[in-house]
Amino acid sequence: MGPGTLLFGGQAEGPPVTNIMFLKTHKTASSTVLNILYRFAEIHNLSVALPAGWRVHLGYPWLFLARYVEGVGSQQQFNIMCNHLRFNLPEVRKVMPNDTFYFSILRNPVFQLESSFIYYKTYAPAFRGAPSLDAFLASPRTFYNDSQLLRNVYAKNNMWFDFGFDPNAPVEEGYVRARIAEVERRFQLVLIAEHLDESLVLLRRRLRWALDDVVAFRLNSRSARSVTRLAPETRQRARRWCALDWRLYQHFNRSLWGQLRAELGPRRLRGEVARLRARRRELAALCLQDAGAPQNRTEIRDPGLRPYQSGAADILGYNLRPGLDIQTRRVCQRLVTPELQYMAHLYSLQFPEKPPKSIP
């Protein structure tokens, strides 16, 4: 079996969807999804709406404006938009074609907040003053100030904020339902981080992509030692503090499972998930050293594959197996390139005449 056969099997039926907007939420496994989209764009030579100039995101935490995209005047529209931004539909529409497929991802807000606390500890004023997440949630108003919203976006209803809504809005039933209905109308699919493989099976169906297009290794994940175990009362407090995120998550978790039941049924879903996982194991055996286990930054030999570190989080990455042939190495490298390096790489491909992005 030649490397081509091994690496690219199982074409989906019908033409693949190539105009895609992914709302990349924070600390939700969205970096893994971003890698899937970057790889697809690079392999199929599609244009990506990348941050202009020295920026590494599309104006976040400000509401997105079309001018945050490099080359937006000269190239009217792009195929794929997937970098961090705060959703603002009228401006996104200036950049993306009318037939764009919109999707996003959510995570249980308890664990999303725990991850944010570690990752943005030194950035968000609300987190900086709190000795621990337990202490923060025992008395959030001691640390959290509404007037510092743009610095504190990671500290309360961060996913709600990313969708363009007010994270400090009262949890009023009519308001919550109207906003959820808005997301429902615009986004054809919302993935759930806790059920990422099932989500990817559904995404692949909707996009009519090949299996290899959605196989991915976990990127931007933390080592076990930088994950905090939360007491049951802390979890309860997190759900109350991030009540808008909790409502959003509950709704789209139910919605995902409803769609999976309706479109695949349990047996077919199990088979599809098993295929995805088997392919991931195959590619891990082919590509990765260290038995495929993610490594801590100091153990990653290639500086180009070292992920950006933030706060007290210990972000893991991968080592490629030595001695891979050129084609296999290229495929494997795409699977493990951290998002900032990948973005800089695509930027240089799309805008060779511009100064390259400098990655911290």
Side-chain angles (χ1 to χ4, degrees), residues 49-60 62-76 78 81 84-86 88-96 347 351 354 357:
L50 295 168
W54 51 269
R55 291 179 183 276
V56 294
H57 48 60
L58 294 166
Y60 195 86
W62 306 101
L63 268 174
F64 173 74
L65 298 173
R67 64 180 171 81
Y68 297 148
V69 174
E70 187 70 75
V72 80
S74 52
Q75 178 171 347
Q76 226 23 68
F78 293 82
M81 174 183 258
H84 278 308
L85 57 81
R86 187 173 183 216
N88 182 9
L89 183 59
E91 291 289 313
V92 169
R93 278 182 161 153
K94 292 179 185 176
V95 179
M96 298 303 292
Y347 187 85
F351 305 102
K354 304 239 176 223
K357 297 249 184 216

Side-chain angles (χ1 to χ4, degrees), residues 81 90-91 98 146 160-161 191 215 233 245 254 262 271 322 335:
M81 174 183 258
E91 291 289 313
N98 292 335
D146 288 10
W160 191 262
F161 177 87
L191 315 183
V215 174
E233 61 273 25
D245 271 1
R254 276 196 304 271
L335 281 159

Side-chain angles (χ1 to χ4, degrees), residues 1 41 88 93 102 156 175 226 282 285 299 311 320 323:
M1 190 189 271
N88 182 9
R93 278 182 161 153
Y102 286 76
K156 187 183 187 188
Y175 165 76
S226 61
E282 237 173 78
E299 290 156 343
L320 292 180

Side-chain angles (χ1 to χ4, degrees), residues 216-227:
F217 301 141
R218 277 189 68 194
L219 295 180
N220 213 27
S221 63
R222 291 175 292 156
S223 65
R225 70 171 185 78
S226 61
V227 176

Side-chain angles (χ1 to χ4, degrees), residues 1-282:
M1 190 189 271
T5 337
L6 178 69
L7 294 168
F8 303 106
Q11 234 10 90
E13 284 174 36
V17 174
T18 53
N19 293 331
I20 297 160
M21 192 279 162
F22 172 55
L23 178 62
K24 185 181 192 295
T25 49
H26 289 78
K27 316 316 303 161
T28 57
S30 62
S31 296
T32 304
V33 179
L34 184 84
N35 176 268
I36 287 170
L37 294 167
Y38 275 170
R39 276 166 25 218
F40 190 83
E42 185 177 11
I43 290 162
H44 297 277
N45 202 20
L46 302 174
S47 60
V48 183
L50 295 168
W54 51 269
R55 291 179 183 276
V56 294
H57 48 60
L58 294 166
Y60 195 86
W62 306 101
L63 268 174
F64 173 74
L65 298 173
R67 64 180 171 81
Y68 297 148
V69 174
E70 187 70 75
V72 80
S74 52
Q75 178 171 347
Q76 226 23 68
Q77 292 187 316
F78 293 82
N79 298 115
I80 290 180
M81 174 183 258
C82 55
N83 289 77
H84 278 308
L85 57 81
R86 187 173 183 216
F87 193 65
N88 182 9
L89 183 59
E91 291 289 313
V92 169
R93 278 182 161 153
K94 292 179 185 176
V95 179
M96 298 303 292
N98 292 335
D99 66 349
T100 294
F101 178 90
Y102 286 76
F103 80 105
S104 188
I105 187 167
L106 297 170
R107 181 185 183 186
N108 183 320
V110 175
F111 306 115
Q112 195 267 352
L113 187 66
E114 183 276 328
S115 181
S116 292
F117 185 83
I118 300 293
Y119 201 87
Y120 299 110
K121 179 84 172 88
T122 53
Y123 177 84
F127 289 160
R128 218 179 292 141
S132 66
L133 185 57
D134 278 315
F136 173 77
L137 287 168
S139 173
R141 286 281 162 205
T142 309
F143 307 103
Y144 182 92
N145 182 334
D146 288 10
S147 68
Q148 289 181 299
L149 175 65
L150 289 188
R151 297 285 289 179
N152 274 332
V153 296
Y154 306 109
K156 187 183 187 188
N157 293 312
N158 182 213
M159 296 181 287
W160 191 262
F161 177 87
D162 287 353
F163 276 90
F165 307 140
D166 176 6
N168 293 319
V171 189
E172 193 274 306
E173 195 57 31
Y175 165 76
V176 172
R177 284 188 174 179
R179 295 292 80 78
I180 287 175
E182 217 175 291
V183 176
E184 195 101 80
R185 271 194 306 276
R186 171 41 52 201
F187 290 83
Q188 284 104 305
L189 183 61
V190 176
L191 315 183
I192 296 292
E194 284 76 12
H195 310 295
L196 187 59
D197 287 345
E198 292 84 354
S199 295
L200 292 175
V201 163
L202 198 52
L203 179 69
R204 170 169 124 80
R205 269 178 75 81
R206 297 289 169 81
L207 298 178
R208 299 188 293 272
W209 283 10
L211 178 63
D212 275 13
D213 293 329
V214 299
V215 174
F217 301 141
R218 277 189 68 194
L219 295 180
N220 213 27
S221 63
R222 291 175 292 156
S223 65
R225 70 171 185 78
S226 61
V227 176
T228 312
R229 285 217 171 285
L230 302 177
E233 61 273 25
T234 302
R235 293 180 182 203
Q236 200 52 50
R237 285 168 176 158
R239 282 192 285 269
R240 276 202 304 274
W241 176 245
C242 293
L244 295 167
D245 271 1
W246 180 241
R247 287 292 304 274
L248 194 64
Y249 173 77
Q250 280 185 302
H251 176 89
F252 284 102
N253 188 27
R254 276 196 304 271
S255 159
L256 174 77
W257 285 100
Q259 292 169 76
L260 286 165
R261 271 193 301 276
E263 290 182 39
L264 288 146
R267 181 180 296 171
R268 183 136 177 239
L269 176 61
R270 277 198 302 274
E272 290 288 324
V273 167
R275 277 182 69 205
L276 180 69
R277 289 175 179 165
R279 188 65 183 128
R280 185 186 297 132
R281 284 193 300 273
E282 237 173 78

